[in-house]
Amino acid sequence: DGLPDARRMDPLKNNKVKLGESGVRNLFKNHANLPLEESMDAAWQDLMDYCCSKASDDMLLLGLEIPTAEKAP
C-alpha cells in the first residue's frame, strides 16, 4: 500500500493506472548510481511526476544505506 498504489490518469483509456511494484522498482533502478540522498530525492520526484503531485494515498519513502567493506569506517 502507498507507493505501488500511486496513480495517474491514462488519457487514452480515461482511467487511472497504478504505478505497481515493478514501477516502484524502476524508480530506484533509474537512480541507483546516485548517492542515497540524491537517489531518494530523484525517486520521489519521479513518483510525484507520475501522479501529477496528487497522491491518492499516504506514502512514505525510507532509505537505508548499508556500508560495504570498501565504505566501512
Side-chain angles (χ1 to χ4, degrees), residues 8 12 23-24 30 32 42 46 61:
R8 66 174 173 82
L12 299 176
V24 172
N30 293 340
D46 286 354
L61 184 60

Side-chain angles (χ1 to χ4, degrees), residues 4-72:
D5 290 332
R7 297 181 175 141
R8 66 174 173 82
M9 186 59 113
D10 181 341
L12 299 176
K13 297 179 180 176
N14 199 27
N15 66 347
K16 292 184 178 182
V17 179
K18 283 186 181 184
L19 179 62
E21 290 180 19
S22 63
V24 172
R25 281 191 296 275
N26 287 333
L27 288 177
F28 295 103
K29 284 181 185 178
N30 293 340
H31 307 293
N33 61 327
L34 298 174
L36 179 63
E37 186 173 350
E38 291 176 36
S39 175
M40 299 294 285
D41 287 344
W44 186 260
Q45 186 58 54
D46 286 354
L47 177 65
M48 291 294 102
D49 291 347
Y50 181 85
C51 63
C52 300
S53 298
K54 296 178 183 175
S56 58
D57 196 356
D58 57 326
M59 295 186 279
L60 174 68
L61 184 60
L62 175 68
L64 178 65
E65 186 171 18
I66 300 172
T68 61
E70 303 92 50
K71 293 183 181 180

